[in-house]
């Protein structure tokens, strides 16, 4: 499935034509495409879905519901933990600074957070681009915008990192970021 996803091939058709699972073989291509979209075409999640569809030998809706429940709880946290461990301490600090203030941020606020985390803006942007599933990056009028995944926001809530013998983010750092950003908004 990962190879299909990487090359942009239709996962719904693959599920139907290659796998020997009754519920999948009976489903229409449009149903399979809808399911893969609902699971955000994430290869690991789709593999879990296939396993449940095979195990349950019932409706695809049952398998989909089971995957969604897992995704909200254990599996979702597992995926975020896996991604989280790939970040270095500076990148984690950057992400915590952003998520503390909510899911949506503009380029200026990202710059403030990357400066405080001692990351270059380009490295901070690469961190976000390379971490599929935690956020969505877009450009509006040439300005970078970020929206974090709600489940990733929950994952980061009350999370901290330790380096330089301190726990980050520090409350005073958060207050300074908020004050500087408010000043910037007043200025523009």
């Amino acid at each position: 499935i990962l190879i299909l996803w990487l090359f942009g091939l239709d996962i719904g058709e693959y599920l139907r034509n290659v796998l020997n699972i009754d519920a999948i073989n009976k489903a229409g291509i449009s149903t399979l495409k809808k399911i893969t979209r609902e699971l955000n075409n994430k290869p690991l999640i789709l593999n879990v879905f296939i396993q449940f569809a095979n195990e349950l030998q019932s409706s695809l809706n049952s398998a989909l519901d089971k995957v969604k429940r897992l995704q909200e709880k254990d599996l979702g946290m597992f995926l975020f933990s896996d991604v989280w461990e790939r970040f270095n301490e500076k990148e984690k600090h950057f992400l915590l600074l952003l998520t503390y203030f909510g899911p949506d941020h503009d380029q200026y606020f990202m710059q403030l957070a990357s400066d405080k985390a001692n990351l270059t803006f380009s490295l901070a942007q690469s961190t976000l681009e390379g971490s599929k599933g935690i956020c969505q990056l877009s450009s509006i009028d040439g300005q970078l915008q970020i929206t974090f995944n709600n489940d990733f926001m929950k994952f980061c809530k009350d999370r901290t990192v330790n380096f330089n013998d301190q726990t980050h983010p520090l409350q005073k750092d958060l207050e300074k970021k908020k004050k500087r950003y408010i000043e910037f908004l007043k200025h523009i």
Side-chain angles (χ1 to χ4, degrees):
I1 289 181
L2 180 58
I3 292 168
L4 291 170
W5 178 75
L6 288 172
F7 290 103
L9 301 175
D10 191 298
I11 296 171
E13 288 183 33
Y14 169 79
L15 292 175
R16 186 165 192 212
N17 295 330
V18 176
L19 298 175
N20 191 18
I21 299 172
D22 286 339
I24 290 176
N25 290 336
K26 291 177 184 175
I29 294 296
S30 62
T31 300
L32 296 174
K33 285 182 179 182
K34 179 181 171 252
I35 289 170
T36 57
R37 277 191 308 271
E38 277 189 61
L39 298 176
N40 295 319
N41 290 317
K42 294 179 181 174
L44 182 60
I45 303 295
L46 289 168
N47 278 332
V48 172
F49 169 76
I50 290 167
Q51 288 174 0
F52 287 157
N54 193 32
E55 288 172 12
L56 296 175
Q57 293 296 324
S58 60
S59 75
L60 295 181
N61 288 334
S62 299
L64 183 60
D65 289 342
K66 191 170 179 180
V67 169
K68 285 181 178 180
R69 282 192 307 274
L70 260 180
Q71 200 171 2
E72 290 172 7
K73 297 178 185 172
D74 303 330
L75 184 58
M77 290 304 117
F78 165 77
L79 293 174
F80 290 132
S81 294
D82 182 54
V83 169
W84 185 256
E85 291 309 313
R86 296 177 191 185
F87 296 126
N88 66 40
E89 298 309 308
K90 289 179 181 181
E91 293 169 324
K92 290 176 182 178
H93 188 204
F94 167 70
L95 291 169
L96 291 176
L97 286 169
L98 289 175
T99 58
Y100 179 83
F101 289 101
D104 301 306
H105 303 288
D106 62 15
Q107 186 169 325
Y108 181 74
F109 195 79
M110 290 168 55
Q111 182 68 52
L112 287 174
S114 66
D115 288 347
K116 185 60 193 167
N118 204 19
L119 283 175
T120 64
F121 186 77
S122 61
L123 183 56
Q125 185 176 348
S126 295
T127 296
L128 296 170
E129 289 170 347
S131 56
K132 303 278 187 224
I134 69 166
C135 67
Q136 182 176 17
L137 291 172
S138 57
S139 180
I140 300 174
D141 294 331
Q143 296 294 311
L144 193 60
Q145 304 289 315
I146 180 173
T147 302
F148 282 101
N149 176 304
N150 286 333
D151 291 329
F152 185 70
M153 293 290 296
K154 291 176 194 172
F155 176 83
C156 288
K157 186 175 172 56
D158 301 323
R159 191 170 290 277
T160 60
V161 291
N162 295 311
F163 59 92
N164 297 335
D165 296 325
Q166 290 185 322
T167 300
H168 296 274
L170 299 171
Q171 190 61 38
K172 67 179 182 173
D173 293 339
L174 296 171
E175 290 167 8
K176 284 181 186 177
K177 290 283 149 288
K178 184 176 181 179
K179 184 178 177 183
R180 284 188 65 192
Y181 188 67
I182 289 171
E183 289 170 2
F184 168 75
L185 291 177
K186 285 180 183 176
H187 177 73
I188 62 167

